[in-house]
Amino acid sequence: MNKSKIKRNSIGVLLVLTALYLSLIAYFCYAVVFYGSRWFSDSYNSRVKMDETNPRIIPGSIMDRNGVVLAETKEEVVKDPTTGKSERYYFRVYHDKAASVAHVVGFNHSKYGRTGVEAFYVYYLMGYNNSLIEKIYQKAFLPQERGNDVVLTVDFRLQDYITQLLKQQGKKGSVVLLNPKTGEILAMVSYPTFNPNDMDNVDDDSLLNRATQGLYPPGSVFKVVTAAAALENIENIGERKFNCTGAVEFDGTRVQCYKGEAHGEVDLAQALAVSCNTTFSNLGVEIGWKSLLKMGKKFGFNEDFLFSDIRMKMSSLPITYKTSKPEMAWTAIGQGKVLVTPLHMAMIAATIANDGVMMEPKLLYKVVGRNGDTQKQLKASVYRKVLNEESARILKDMMIKVVQEGTGKQAQSGVITVAGKTGTAEEGTKDQQNRNLAWFVGFASVDNPTLAIAVLVEDVGQGETGGTQAAPLAKKVIEKAVELGY
């Protein structure tokens, strides 16, 4: 082999190795930027564990947006009767009604680790974001280093009110309320809940944060996604008429409307108002898997949300070129294999309310330092543009019709105008009783939306629907939020 060929080969190998090295660096930078906060907040983070012992650093307090202390560290001085020496002990204490915010605030426990804000914002709570000067000052002049206080966007009054509503209803569920213009989460409740002051008496079901970690079939609330796909893919869809006979078949699979009711001739808006399964299942087949999947992805399905303030499970819309007509029909009405979290459904409602723009959900209002200085302040962030304004406007009008004339009448309020969509989803097998889910998603007011909501009620009985179980709950929550000035 001649020298020139060896040289060329060596250069080729060097270029390949350099490209691989640069790719590794690029991936590492990407991972640090997008996953760094997740790694740092892991319960097994050795640095945090080391700083907690003794403890070297006292974590800051967690407060709601109005300054109500939800979690704090208290000190107890115990005198040894034998030696006469005093020892300081530190322990984390949660609000007297901590169950109302338990899934949001989370806990720090030797058995269960860290969860919620206690985990995700440990970087601020432990003061790791402090300047070098502040760190040196604390080490040199303070008897105990201290982290920073974290102020959340949630309102404790709303959290407690919603928790009591779900408790009175006696069913498991979740309610998420946010500002569609800023993404601020005003309330995020999961029920059943637990008392973080008494972690020895909890069960796994109560620890589940249904709002962000629970995946459920959306049922008819998914029809807003199907309607959006129809608006942007079928020409003159608003002028089309559909004839509902109460049931329709796809390759031998029967899809019927609630109780087999025949709605007769309806347009798209009327079909959404009465939640017509035959119309939307037909639309799903007509739109096709590619266009429905594209719209679903715009809304965030099949996507790992890398939000700066919150973690949530990925919602699933598993359709491909292999998806059959019956599967497409069921998918279009929110059944089949479609799964979604309540927080994601609230974001979808908020997107429609916000002229087609999805905002990033925010849970961190601000970070306050030892001297009361604001170190970090909430800044609204556009996550993505999902719909054009015309499609969003049409969907708004359709959702107004749902509440004024259709299945969402029990969400009507004398205090504020509400728009929305109801849903009743089947969960489990046909042999299981009381496994239906009741949904309501919507926003208020219709002229100037400042509230977007998702309500999920589990285990509703036969004959109970989203319109009878979730819509009235949404009305009460929205009216309470208006009463509090939101």
Side-chain angles (χ1 to χ4, degrees), residues 94-398:
Y94 298 90
H95 193 285
D96 291 340
K97 293 183 178 180
S100 299
V101 288
H103 293 97
V104 174
V105 173
F107 51 78
N108 181 18
H109 190 265
S110 56
K111 177 181 177 181
Y112 297 104
R114 283 181 178 270
T115 66
V117 169
E118 289 277 30
F120 205 56
Y121 299 139
V122 68
Y123 181 72
Y124 303 116
L125 290 168
M126 296 294 284
Y128 295 133
N129 65 309
N130 284 333
S131 66
L132 180 61
I133 294 174
E134 173 65 15
K135 290 177 181 177
I136 293 173
Y137 177 86
Q138 289 200 19
K139 285 179 181 294
F141 299 105
L142 297 184
Q144 189 75 53
E145 290 181 61
R146 189 188 185 286
N148 302 309
D149 294 334
V150 168
V151 181
L152 307 179
T153 58
V154 298
D155 188 319
F156 177 76
R157 298 169 297 178
L158 278 171
Q159 289 280 143
D160 191 50
Y161 177 76
I162 295 168
T163 301
Q164 297 309 313
L165 286 179
L166 288 170
K167 184 177 181 180
Q168 290 166 16
Q169 203 162 24
K171 290 184 172 68
K172 300 173 184 179
S174 176
V175 176
V176 179
L177 184 72
L178 53 81
N179 185 325
K181 295 180 180 179
T182 64
E184 293 172 73
I185 298 173
L186 305 175
M188 187 166 64
V189 176
S190 177
Y191 190 84
T193 184
F194 61 94
N195 182 358
N197 289 309
D198 184 18
M199 292 300 296
D200 295 326
N201 294 297
V202 297
D203 57 73
D204 291 341
D205 191 42
S206 64
L207 289 176
L208 174 65
N209 185 346
R210 285 166 160 77
T212 61
Q213 302 302 306
L215 287 170
Y216 304 91
S220 291
V221 292
F222 185 79
K223 288 173 183 172
V224 297
V225 178
T226 305
L231 287 169
E232 298 205 349
N233 288 282
I234 301 177
E235 192 175 353
N236 299 322
I237 185 64
E239 301 170 14
R240 286 257 305 265
K241 297 291 183 181
F242 307 89
N243 183 35
C244 170
T245 59
V248 64
E249 283 196 6
F250 299 93
D251 296 340
T253 298
R254 183 181 175 87
V255 177
Q256 68 175 36
C257 290
Y258 183 62
K259 293 184 178 179
E261 180 182 357
H263 298 114
E265 189 176 78
V266 294
D267 60 19
L268 185 63
Q270 291 166 332
L272 191 74
V274 298
S275 205
C276 181
N277 285 342
T278 66
T279 297
F280 277 91
S281 59
N282 273 314
L283 279 173
V285 172
E286 181 179 349
I287 292 165
W289 72 269
K290 189 175 290 185
S291 294
L292 186 58
L293 180 61
K294 182 179 179 181
M295 181 55 68
K297 285 183 174 181
K298 282 185 177 182
F299 274 110
F301 283 86
N302 300 346
E303 181 173 304
D304 185 13
F305 289 111
L306 297 174
F307 296 137
S308 60
D309 276 18
I310 200 164
R311 298 176 188 174
M312 60 188 283
K313 277 193 174 178
M314 181 175 68
S315 296
S316 174
L317 181 60
I319 52 176
T320 68
Y321 70 93
K322 295 181 180 180
T323 302
S324 66
K325 281 187 178 181
E327 287 177 302
M328 279 302 303
W330 284 116
T331 298
I333 61 174
Q335 289 289 170
K337 298 176 182 178
V338 188
L339 295 172
V340 67
T341 63
L343 174 56
H344 191 187
M345 281 311 313
M347 290 166 55
I348 290 172
T351 300
I352 297 168
N354 196 38
D355 300 325
V357 177
M358 180 178 282
M359 303 299 291
E360 182 178 328
K362 297 288 184 179
L363 191 57
L364 183 65
Y365 192 67
K366 61 181 176 180
V367 177
V368 181
R370 176 177 57 86
N371 295 318
D373 56 311
T374 299
Q375 298 182 348
K376 184 179 177 67
Q377 183 74 50
L378 175 122
K379 185 178 180 181
S381 304
V382 173
Y383 186 63
R384 63 164 57 121
K385 177 77 172 178
V386 178
L387 301 169
N388 61 59
E389 289 188 23
E390 179 62 13
S391 293
R393 183 192 63 75
I394 294 171
L395 281 171
K396 277 185 188 180
D397 291 340
M398 290 167 64

Side-chain angles (χ1 to χ4, degrees), residues 169 171-173 436-438 455-460 469-470 473:
Q169 203 162 24
K171 290 184 172 68
K172 300 173 184 179
N436 285 351
L437 305 171
V455 175
L456 167 72
V457 182
E458 297 182 34
D459 302 334
V460 298
Q469 298 296 304
L473 197 61

